[in-house]
Amino acid sequence: GTGLVGNAIKSIKDKYSEHTFIFSSRLKCDLINYSDTYKYFSEIKPDYIIHLASIVGGLFKNMSHKVDMFDLNMRLNMNVLRCAHEHKVKKVVSCLSTCVFPDNVDYPINESMLHNGEPHDSNYGYAYSKRMLDVQSKLYRQQYNDNFICVIPTNIYGEHDNYSLENGHVIPALIHQCYLAKKENRPFIVKGSGEPLRQFIYSKDLAELMMWSLLEYNKWDNIILSVGEKDEISIKDLAITISKAFDYEDNIIFDTQYSNGQHKKTANNSLLLKYK
Ligand code: GDP
């Protein structure tokens, strides 16, 4: 409940007043520890779970913490699903990401392509841990008929993001960079060439879709939660938009010493549009 999407769900929860929400945090329960997780589930006895907890960060955190991204997320996800099974939770909606799809793939990406080749090297650990969350959910469905499903959001932005210059995702990191650049009257440095393309969804729109996935989407198929293909924008255009908002447009530098990450991961949202 403390991250970007959890906070967005908090902000819309009053629309769902027939339900009681409990928002967890790292302080309330260490999901990487099985006995802590089991104890927490026994205390709160959830009927439904939106599983957003994850060791997560932008491109540069994924590149510098590959073992943690794999190892900690694997343990965390195994504990959450196992405890959900043991406590007979009626439904779990877990969050993957469009960045976990294969690197060499035909565009646009659709839900069927998740395991069709290796992920981009920059987020190899994170991507495989999230792919395993899909595998785990499927195995619980097959062996126990547990209603454990996965949704696949594209890049997300909104209030309560992580503004770390090193570990944050591109939008909060660039807002922070531009703020400092203007304050200190120095160039606004954008990492990489600016050429990569991304689709961005607003956290509160995603929060509504998460609630829909939990309460109304009654299939077991993975579903991409994204804006359309035509809404994809380049990092360069994103940086220009941010610089305009700060009224600091004339001093942008693209620093190509830094990685671009995956060039694009254009996702197709036609399955979602069939329902919404
Ligand atoms: P990704 O979509 O999973 O790669 O996640 P990010 O939100 O980290 O976006 C990475 C893209 O933004 C890459 O093309 C980076 O080169 C570019 N980028 C430019 N400046 C920054 C920055 O300060 N932080 C991050 N995370 N990415 C940046």
Side-chain angles (χ1 to χ4, degrees):
T2 54
L4 180 57
V5 186
N7 269 299
I9 293 177
K10 250 181 218 169
S11 75
I12 63 157
K13 76 174 175 45
D14 292 346
K15 291 187 189 175
Y16 304 88
S17 53
E18 67 278 28
H19 297 284
T20 305
F21 288 73
I22 296 171
F23 292 91
S24 183
S25 72
R26 223 167 282 193
L27 289 177
K28 288 185 194 154
C29 172
D30 177 9
L31 296 170
I32 292 166
N33 178 304
Y34 173 74
S35 49
D36 258 33
T37 310
Y38 190 92
K39 200 166 143 249
Y40 186 67
F41 272 66
S42 305
E43 278 163 23
I44 64 169
K45 300 186 177 52
D47 295 315
Y48 300 98
I49 294 179
I50 295 181
H51 173 30
L52 303 169
S54 181
I55 311 301
V56 65
L59 168 66
F60 300 99
K61 181 169 179 188
N62 273 304
M63 288 172 67
S64 60
H65 292 75
K66 287 185 179 173
V67 174
D68 299 339
M69 301 308 262
F70 181 76
D71 197 62
L72 300 178
N73 280 318
M74 284 296 295
R75 283 155 58 191
L76 190 156
N77 293 332
M78 289 205 288
N79 291 341
V80 170
L81 291 196
R82 184 170 157 198
C83 289
H85 170 72
E86 287 167 339
H87 288 81
K88 301 190 170 35
V89 173
K90 291 180 194 145
K91 184 166 181 179
V92 179
V93 178
S94 297
C95 228
L96 310 182
S97 161
T98 53
C99 73
V100 315
F101 278 94
D103 185 28
N104 276 322
V105 78
D106 291 330
Y107 292 101
I109 288 166
N110 67 45
E111 290 82 356
S112 72
M113 299 173 176
L114 191 59
H115 299 283
N116 289 359
E118 287 187 298
H120 193 265
D121 196 54
S122 59
N123 70 343
Y124 207 82
Y126 180 77
Y128 267 117
S129 75
K130 285 288 183 181
R131 289 189 191 186
M132 287 307 112
L133 182 52
D134 169 60
V135 171
Q136 289 158 359
S137 303
K138 184 173 179 172
L139 299 179
Y140 276 102
R141 293 197 297 267
Q142 290 183 341
Q143 186 170 341
Y144 300 112
N145 216 30
D146 284 331
N147 193 4
F148 294 175
I149 67 160
C150 296
V151 296
I152 315 179
T154 185
N155 290 50
I156 311 162
Y157 70 97
E159 296 89 341
H160 304 282
D161 210 336
N162 171 6
Y163 287 80
S164 159
L165 296 174
E166 294 79 33
N167 294 334
H169 283 102
V170 61
I171 291 186
L174 288 187
I175 289 173
H176 193 170
Q177 284 284 8
C178 193
Y179 165 79
L180 291 177
K182 183 170 177 178
K183 195 168 129 192
E184 292 162 12
N185 196 24
R186 57 172 173 78
F188 170 28
I189 310 254
V190 180
K191 293 173 181 164
S193 69
E195 286 161 9
L197 301 167
R198 296 289 184 269
Q199 289 154 295
F200 293 98
I201 188 167
Y202 180 45
S203 58
K204 289 186 187 172
D205 293 335
L206 179 62
E208 300 278 6
L209 290 176
M210 297 298 306
M211 291 306 299
W212 168 81
S213 313
L214 182 70
L215 301 173
E216 291 175 54
Y217 179 63
N218 55 17
K219 301 276 192 302
W220 277 355
D221 304 321
N222 289 344
I223 184 162
I224 289 174
L225 304 180
S226 173
V227 297
E229 289 157 58
K230 65 172 175 25
D231 297 314
E232 191 170 54
I233 70 161
S234 69
I235 299 298
K236 181 176 178 193
D237 285 346
L238 171 69
I240 291 171
T241 305
I242 290 171
S243 70
K244 279 186 181 155
F246 277 97
D247 200 11
Y248 199 66
E249 286 163 68
D250 301 327
N251 207 356
I252 306 181
I253 289 179
F254 292 90
D255 188 343
T256 52
Q257 285 178 66
Y258 286 96
S259 170
N260 277 339
Q262 203 164 354
H263 176 60
K264 63 178 186 174
K265 39 195 182 175
T266 321
N268 178 294
N269 65 355
S270 55
L271 182 60
L272 175 64
L273 295 183
K274 251 173 72 179
Y275 298 103
K276 292 291 286 172

